Amino acid sequence: MLRQQDVGHRIVVRRIVEIREGRPLFSDALGELVELTETHITLVTAHGPLRVPVDEVHRAKRVPPARRPTAAAVVELESASDEAWPAPVSGRLGDWRLRSAAGWTGRANSALPIGDPDRPLPAALDAVQRWYADLGQPALVNTPLPLAAPVGAELDARGWTARPPVLVQTVPLTTLTAPPPVSTDGTAPDRTAPAPAAGPPPVALATAPTDDWLAIAADRKGGLPEAARHVLTAVDRVRFAELRVDGRLLAVGRGTVTGGGRWFGVSLLEVLPEARRRGYAEAVVRALARWAATEGATRAFLQVEQHNVGAVALYRRLGFTTHHTYLTRVAP
């Protein structure tokens, strides 16, 4: 059967649709798993969302993506992501990238093994460990899959552990800038608690974060050292989104345009708990996407932890699909 780490991946479900003459009749469904609960499996198929009660499931499993991204496509996207989250201390090992930001987030404090490290793989990983040891930090390596599978195999042999998988998801920017779809009864399909009739409040964009924007980011990330401010702001094209109600900041997000101007990146999307399920997160993403379109971007991407089921479901409703995954590997 399926597990929470399968959310965001392509699955096949064989379900019992009828009992005829004492024998079950089955039907198969193929799509992306967006929600897994004790009672239901929800997947998005080519014909739309499908919600299957668990007691009707005969068999379900993850299957390979319909089409794996090319190595060049993974390198392009990982490079755009690296530009969008710039570490204040960086180095190179051939084509590999070494990054440090005083321990703030795994992404900004890990080696990115894409390309040729200019030496045999074991020697390259030894050099990575020395680089981080000289900084007094634990060695981390982000392994985009399947591109960095050989690196992962070598790390397995060395006893490195892995943090939960992260989904790197993409969508054409036009999907985010188009008017959001509505259901037949006129309500937005991704809201269980509808927004006011007038819709979400307007979203303001700024080139620098305000103090209360930073406070929300600090609360989410467990602090905000000076290195974090560099990660957040040291991008040529960046916007910080704020959604306020009666002057109170309820939702934030950060958008970047990198990768030669092609890629719009979404990060630090956050809605205060008491303001969730009102369409605010969607409003923030769409406002940032409209700005990115004026900058010439054509594709959007984000990174979300696989076990963050709520966020994965939100992004799926916005049209995002998984391009590839990565694991953050930790030295023993």
Side-chain angles (χ1 to χ4, degrees):
M1 282 295 289
L2 301 170
R3 297 173 294 173
Q4 287 297 332
Q5 50 262 50
D6 296 314
V7 172
H9 290 273
R10 194 163 175 252
I11 65 166
V12 63
V13 176
R14 172 160 291 186
R15 57 188 177 125
I16 303 169
V17 293
E18 187 181 346
I19 302 294
R20 185 179 298 175
E21 297 178 355
R23 300 181 64 181
L25 299 180
F26 300 104
S27 175
D28 291 345
L30 179 69
E32 184 172 341
L33 178 63
V34 295
E35 186 179 34
L36 178 63
T37 71
E38 293 182 357
T39 59
H40 286 82
I41 292 172
T42 304
L43 65 160
V44 176
T45 73
H47 306 289
L50 176 65
R51 194 164 183 256
V52 182
V54 168
D55 58 11
E56 294 180 5
V57 175
H58 175 67
R59 187 176 300 165
K61 64 178 182 178
R62 190 194 297 190
V63 296
R67 183 175 61 186
R68 290 182 181 273
T70 65
V74 174
V75 169
E76 178 193 355
L77 184 47
E78 286 292 332
S79 296
S81 174
D82 182 57
E83 290 178 50
W85 203 251
V89 179
S90 62
R92 286 277 185 169
L93 198 65
D95 296 327
W96 287 18
R97 305 168 193 203
L98 308 174
R99 307 170 293 188
S100 172
W104 193 74
T105 76
R107 213 184 328 165
N109 290 275
S110 58
L112 181 59
I114 55 176
D116 183 359
D118 214 16
R119 64 203 71 194
L121 179 55
L125 293 174
D126 291 342
V128 167
Q129 289 194 267
R130 287 194 300 271
W131 194 83
Y132 285 102
D134 289 344
L135 293 174
Q137 290 184 224
L140 303 177
V141 176
N142 268 14
T143 54
L145 300 172
L147 179 67
V151 177
E154 176 68 19
L155 294 175
D156 287 341
R158 294 176 177 224
W160 288 47
T161 56
R163 292 179 179 175
V166 174
L167 310 179
V168 182
Q169 301 195 313
T170 64
V171 69
L173 194 60
T174 51
T175 301
L176 300 179
T177 55
V182 294
S183 62
T184 54
D185 63 1
T187 59
D190 59 327
R191 302 174 195 166
T192 56
V203 177
L205 303 183
T207 57
T210 60
D211 288 343
D212 44 358
W213 193 105
L214 291 170
I216 290 176
D219 185 62
R220 174 175 170 178
K221 293 294 188 181
L224 208 67
E226 190 59 35
R229 295 174 183 264
H230 177 96
V231 172
L232 294 173
T233 62
V235 181
D236 289 339
R237 288 186 277 182
V238 61
R239 290 295 184 272
F240 298 87
E242 295 187 345
L243 186 152
R244 295 178 182 268
V245 175
D246 297 328
R248 186 180 178 214
L249 184 59
L250 295 179
V252 300
R254 174 179 175 270
T256 56
V257 173
T258 58
R262 182 186 183 211
W263 287 100
F264 159 56
V266 181
S267 59
L268 284 174
L269 181 65
E270 184 74 13
V271 179
L272 295 189
E274 63 270 27
R276 291 172 183 167
R277 301 188 181 278
R278 301 179 189 177
Y280 292 171
E282 177 183 340
V284 167
V285 172
R286 292 189 185 278
L288 288 167
R290 290 191 292 270
W291 160 75
T294 67
E295 296 288 318
T298 58
R299 299 281 299 177
F301 78 91
L302 54 80
Q303 298 174 334
V304 57
E305 291 185 348
Q306 186 172 263
H307 61 69
N308 190 345
V309 177
V312 170
L314 166 66
Y315 298 140
R316 184 63 186 84
R317 290 193 295 267
L318 286 171
F320 283 90
T321 58
T322 299
H323 184 272
H324 65 276
T325 62
Y326 75 75
L327 295 175
T328 298
R329 305 299 303 267
V330 183

